[in-house]
Amino acid sequence: MGVPCFGVCQYSFDGFSGVLHHWVHFGDGVPQIKPEMFELTYNSDNCSFMPALFNTLIVIVLSVSCSSVFGIGAAIFLNEYTDKGDWFVRVVALATETLSGIPSIVYGLFGLLFFVYYLQWGLSLLAGVCTMAIMTFPIIMRATQEALAAVPDLYREGSFGLGAGRFRTVFRIVLPTAIPGILGGIILAIGRTVGESAALIYTAGSIAAVPVSMFSSTRTLAVHMYLLASEGLHIDATYATAVLLLVFVLLINLATSAVAKRISKGGMTDE
């Protein structure tokens, strides 16, 4: 029993050390936040993170929207319209798991070769959005599949017994019940998009300005923080950007969780 107890204590200590480490950096970053960092234009004097913040929101909305449409649609088709033991479903599941385990740098190199060079989009917002959509597609798809699989078959059988067709059953009964689980996958996809830097450096570029078109080069908060840290000239701005990034992710998670709870309560009230 000594070894397991030691392992539990070690894991607990590592977790506490990680939390303490993040709080130390959070405390270092808060005093570094200055009014000039909220200016709408970036230069080497103010190190403003507002353009990167706007760019992050744009990338999140476009990439997660695209991956959600295809990911949720593919999950509905595989879970509701195909035989669960079919070989095609097993192949798609294996491919999805493989895509989920690919390092982000590989996605970045793929986006660089295909979107930037082959399609000649250049280092652009569009190339970064498409790359991030491919990255987050398996996350949303797997989360949607698990959420749909968790819906009891009794719901489907009851709907069919009342004369509803498959399409009406899926979109009026099954899908609303699975929405909290689907939103959980969307939260994970947003988190990966916010924290991604390698793939976006190779595809979206590093220009610290709000893009004027989909073919403009841009940078997100994670890329902004990486570039400031790599330059070594604005470490205080790096800590401040890290604080903003943590708060930004926290607010998105809280907002999405509130939406999921509201939808769940609405579904229970309708029942």
Side-chain angles (χ1 to χ4, degrees):
M1 294 297 292
V3 175
C5 290
F6 175 77
V8 171
C9 293
Q10 182 67 31
Y11 290 144
S12 300
F13 178 76
D14 291 341
F16 176 76
S17 300
V19 173
L20 183 62
H21 175 77
H22 283 87
W23 272 110
V24 169
H25 284 290
F26 189 85
D28 292 338
V30 171
Q32 306 302 331
I33 299 178
K34 301 174 183 178
E36 56 266 24
M37 292 183 177
F38 293 91
E39 296 181 5
L40 297 180
T41 56
Y42 170 87
N43 56 56
S44 58
D45 294 328
N46 58 25
C47 293
S48 173
F49 44 57
M50 291 304 293
L53 177 61
F54 292 143
N55 297 335
T56 302
L57 289 172
I58 294 172
V59 172
I60 288 175
V61 171
L62 295 180
S63 63
V64 175
S65 297
C66 183
S67 59
S68 296
V69 170
F70 289 99
I72 295 174
I76 291 175
F77 174 75
L78 294 174
N79 198 81
E80 302 295 330
Y81 289 91
T82 59
D83 186 6
K84 295 182 180 179
D86 189 79
W87 65 270
F88 178 73
V89 177
R90 295 197 299 268
V91 170
V92 172
L94 178 62
T96 305
E97 294 293 341
T98 303
L99 288 174
S100 300
I102 294 178
S104 60
I105 187 67
V106 177
Y107 283 102
L109 292 174
F110 167 78
L112 178 67
L113 294 174
F114 185 70
F115 297 121
V116 176
Y117 290 143
Y118 182 75
L119 297 181
Q120 297 183 354
W121 289 352
L123 295 175
S124 61
L125 174 63
L126 182 59
V129 166
C130 291
T131 303
M132 291 308 305
I134 296 174
M135 285 183 61
T136 55
F137 168 78
I139 299 175
I140 296 178
M141 178 179 170
R142 291 299 299 167
T144 304
Q145 283 185 299
E146 294 176 0
L148 293 174
V151 178
D153 289 336
L154 185 62
Y155 288 14
R156 299 177 179 87
E157 295 171 359
S159 179
F160 292 150
L162 293 174
R166 183 176 296 274
F167 182 85
R168 188 176 182 86
T169 298
V170 170
F171 286 92
R172 295 297 299 272
I173 304 299
V174 178
L175 197 59
T177 307
I179 280 181
I182 297 174
L183 288 178
I186 293 177
I187 291 175
L188 293 177
I190 292 175
R192 182 161 188 180
T193 302
V194 172
E196 186 55 50
S197 59
L200 290 174
I201 289 177
Y202 282 108
T203 55
S206 59
I207 301 300
V210 178
V212 296
S213 71
M214 293 297 293
F215 293 97
S216 300
S217 179
T218 185
R219 71 166 67 169
T220 60
L221 277 174
V223 175
H224 181 71
M225 183 173 64
Y226 167 76
L227 293 176
L228 290 177
S230 61
E231 292 171 359
L233 301 176
H234 304 284
I235 301 300
D236 54 346
T238 304
Y239 282 121
T241 306
V243 171
L244 177 65
L245 193 61
L246 289 173
V247 174
F248 183 70
V249 174
L250 179 62
L251 291 177
I252 289 178
N253 290 346
L254 291 176
T256 312
S257 299
V259 172
K261 290 181 180 179
R262 186 178 184 86
I263 293 175
S264 299
K265 290 181 179 179
M268 295 176 62
T269 303
D270 293 339
E271 293 177 359

